[in-house]
Amino acid sequence: MRNFDDTDRKKKSGRISLPDNPGNLSEEAQTQLESAVKAAVKDGYVTCPSGWKVAKDLGVSRLDVGVMIDKLRIRVTACQLGCFSVSKTSRLGSATEPFSEEIARRVETLREKDELTCAGVFELARELKVKPMSVMNAANARGYKLRQCQLGCF
């Protein structure tokens, strides 16, 4: 396991800028969040789905969870859209998850509107009643890059 170190922090801050406390959480809420994130660590990492669960359980934003993960120098793994893995697989589907022309067309529309974001992919998947990996595979097939991770990873 490799920690999220100062080199990683500098690289990330060159790409995106996150506030220290996006949800303006109280000190008590920050302490609860820190404990919950630490409890979610498995093998030195927090998985994307675990981060989402912490946010839901505590009633905080996913971005608050991501900022806390960074503060604790923990890495996020198992992106639900396959963004952190070489094989581009996830818990919600596989890299071979099929996509239709309708999905491809809608992904193109998202990109044209500058809305090809993590939240945009999940919303489109819900709308079309498909797995998020189907939407992501359509984006990957066209070489499109996803932006604005809901945990603030990219």
Side-chain angles (χ1 to χ4, degrees):
M1 177 200 72
R2 191 169 78 73
N3 287 335
F4 186 80
D5 61 19
D6 289 333
T7 303
D8 298 312
R9 190 179 310 275
K10 284 178 188 173
K11 239 169 79 175
K12 182 175 179 177
S13 68
R15 293 187 315 261
I16 62 173
S17 178
L18 298 174
D20 286 339
N21 186 355
N24 200 26
L25 301 177
S26 68
E27 207 171 301
E28 179 184 340
Q30 288 272 15
T31 301
Q32 287 178 326
L33 178 56
E34 181 177 345
S35 295
V37 167
K38 286 179 178 177
V41 173
K42 291 214 169 62
D43 298 325
Y45 297 92
V46 172
T47 66
C48 175
S50 294
W52 283 38
K53 183 175 181 341
V54 167
K56 182 179 180 182
D57 290 351
L58 294 181
V60 299
S61 76
R62 293 174 185 146
L63 198 54
D64 282 313
V65 174
V67 168
M68 181 58 70
I69 289 169
D70 283 356
K71 282 182 186 175
L72 296 172
R73 298 176 170 249
I74 300 167
R75 288 186 167 278
V76 175
T77 189
C79 171
Q80 296 177 83
L81 298 176
C83 293
F84 305 144
S85 64
V86 174
S87 63
K88 297 286 185 196
T89 59
S90 84
R91 297 175 190 275
L92 297 180
S94 73
T96 58
E97 197 67 45
F99 61 89
S100 66
E101 284 305 312
E102 169 69 4
I103 295 171
R105 187 179 59 72
R106 297 286 297 275
V107 164
E108 182 65 33
T109 301
L110 282 179
R111 190 186 70 82
E112 288 170 357
K113 291 178 169 180
D114 200 28
E115 295 175 357
L116 189 56
T117 63
C118 179
V121 167
F122 275 91
E123 180 57 34
L124 181 56
R126 271 190 295 277
E127 247 180 72
L128 298 175
K129 296 181 172 86
V130 298
K131 293 180 180 178
M133 276 302 287
S134 294
V135 176
M136 198 60 216
N137 286 337
N140 285 333
R142 283 152 183 74
Y144 299 157
K145 295 286 183 190
L146 184 68
R147 51 186 197 79
Q148 291 181 351
C149 166
Q150 294 181 71
L151 289 175
C153 296
F154 52 85

